[in-house]
Amino acid sequence: MGFFNLFSGKTPEVIERSGDDYFTKREYGLAKLEYEKALNKAEKQGREKAEFAGRLREKIDRSREALAVFHMHTAESLVQAGSHADAKALLTLALELTREEALKEEIRLKLKEVEDGLEAEKRRPDEDRHKSPQKAEAQPPEAEAFKPALAGVMEEEPDADEYFSVLCSALPEEFQKAYQGYGQRFKEGYIALNRGEFEPAVKKLSESLAENPGSLIPLELATALVNQGKTDHAQRLMEGFVRQYPMLLRGYQILCDIYWEGKNYDAALKLFRSCPDELAQTLPIQLLTGETLYQAGRYEEAREIFSSCETRFGENEILSRALAKTYEALGSIAKARSLYGKLISGCAACGARRDPFLKRRYAELSYEAGEKPSKLLELYFSLVREDPDNRSEYYQRIVGIYESLGNNKEAQRYRSMIKGLDKSTE
């Protein structure tokens, strides 16, 4: 949702890599949550394209199956430890997770054995069923070892505690501590918000705010309200919040984003002028000011802000991106192209995964600048490999370049590829 994601949010690709790390460590529940979060964020950004979304769905399915097998094996250990009720809960969850018929049948057989064991326990005399404290202490240690993993299973929402912990772990330490103290309604509302379930999120977060006045809850409630289209309510909420917490950057970020949604750029600029000077002179507020001017079409003023930031704070990727697009808007193609080129080179030098957007803008500006056809072909062919979701557009450029060279045979070849892609999406 707008520019402040550059400060407060990870990209879907970064979240996906986090899921990969969890899967490698066999932490399948956390991996599944990360992949779902990446897919949800990609969909919100309008990036639900075949290649990326399909890959994430495959990883979610793979995590579900691995988690189901893990729960089944854990349940076997719990049965040996005499914890039939806990084993039944885990097997039930495993059955909900898996989509493989063979595994479902295996889990059903184990469930039947566990249920038979529970029935046998019920038929025992009371004196046998209720063990003495001494005998309970002599139980195998596995029963105690698996209790933390089962805490969320017995709740109405499986993995709720785990999911909430994962979400909080991505927050600054002071936010983590506060969020974990707001109670069950906040937890349910925060989980709903991160799953894109905005109506229950608004309900639960509103109830939690009533229980916790003066808290940080408006930050999340306003986000849910905006996603419901209730921007007026969200705006009033955040205007009050900023007055209450004048030094909290995230309040300004969210309120600014609301102003941008309504194209109320003057209000956003007034907001930044009113914040404490200690905060007003920081890089994030200066960047938000520059972006507001950019969105308002005041490109020269935006350029001045971004250039001043570069002088004061040094070069960084966010600044370079902002300057590049501002130069582009001003028609300074050579300067914009140079910045995009530096960003691409920087990604290559540090080994980070290249952002296809940067290379795409560099290629388009190179095309406009009349770059050599051989160089342009190299750029667009690499984009076809690195950004397959947009390969039809890159093929269009490739066709145009071959036509300019008089190579009609190759131009026709790539026209045919475009037609094939168009048919596959019908």
Side-chain angles (χ1 to χ4, degrees), residues 7 23 37 47 67 180 186 205 214 240 342 376 390 396:
F7 301 101
F23 194 92
K37 187 176 175 183
R47 297 171 56 192
L67 190 57
Q180 288 165 352
F186 176 78
L205 291 171
K342 283 177 67 176
L376 287 171
N390 292 302
Q396 292 279 7

Side-chain angles (χ1 to χ4, degrees), residues 182-318:
Y182 290 153
Q184 184 64 24
R185 284 190 176 89
F186 176 78
K187 180 189 296 184
E188 292 171 3
Y190 192 53
I191 289 173
L193 172 61
N194 280 273
R195 287 179 172 168
E197 300 163 359
F198 303 119
E199 186 173 347
V202 167
K203 181 177 184 297
K204 291 294 182 180
L205 291 171
S206 297
E207 291 171 352
S208 182
L209 180 58
E211 295 173 345
N212 299 278
S215 65
L216 302 176
I217 294 171
L219 295 169
E220 310 306 334
L221 177 54
T223 302
L225 287 165
V226 167
N227 280 282
Q228 273 197 315
K230 299 177 179 178
T231 52
D232 289 344
H233 185 176
Q235 180 176 319
R236 291 193 299 272
L237 188 67
M238 289 311 302
E239 285 172 343
F241 181 86
V242 166
R243 287 193 294 271
Q244 187 175 11
Y245 292 95
M247 287 298 296
L248 192 62
L249 173 63
R250 194 172 169 218
Y252 292 91
Q253 293 169 336
I254 293 176
L255 181 53
C256 178
D257 219 42
I258 293 169
Y259 288 145
W260 287 346
E261 288 287 321
K263 302 188 186 304
N264 196 353
Y265 305 119
D266 288 340
L269 294 171
K270 182 179 178 181
L271 172 68
F272 302 137
R273 287 195 296 269
S274 67
C275 72
D277 190 62
E278 183 182 348
L279 184 62
Q281 298 306 314
T282 62
L283 177 60
I285 291 294
Q286 289 296 303
L287 282 167
L288 287 168
T289 302
E291 176 64 15
T292 302
L293 291 165
Y294 175 88
Q295 291 198 27
R298 295 160 62 174
Y299 302 126
E300 184 54 41
E301 293 173 76
R303 186 204 61 76
E304 289 176 5
I305 291 283
F306 295 139
S307 296
S308 173
C309 285
E310 198 170 55
T311 301
R312 292 170 59 195
F313 302 104
E315 292 184 3
N316 66 52
E317 183 182 342
I318 295 175

Side-chain angles (χ1 to χ4, degrees), residues 66-104:
L67 190 57
V69 171
F70 177 79
H71 285 334
M72 184 177 69
H73 291 161
T74 303
E76 291 170 352
S77 298
L78 288 167
V79 169
Q80 293 173 11
S83 301
H84 290 84
D86 289 345
K88 180 180 178 181
L90 265 189
L91 288 169
T92 302
L93 182 57
L95 192 60
E96 292 174 357
L97 284 167
T98 184
R99 295 173 183 172
E100 294 184 4
E101 288 303 322
L103 184 56
K104 282 183 178 181

Side-chain angles (χ1 to χ4, degrees), residues 32-45:
K32 172 177 167 287
L33 292 174
E34 289 295 276
Y35 293 140
E36 289 172 341
K37 187 176 175 183
L39 181 60
N40 183 44
K41 192 160 192 176
E43 288 171 345
K44 286 179 182 177
Q45 294 177 354

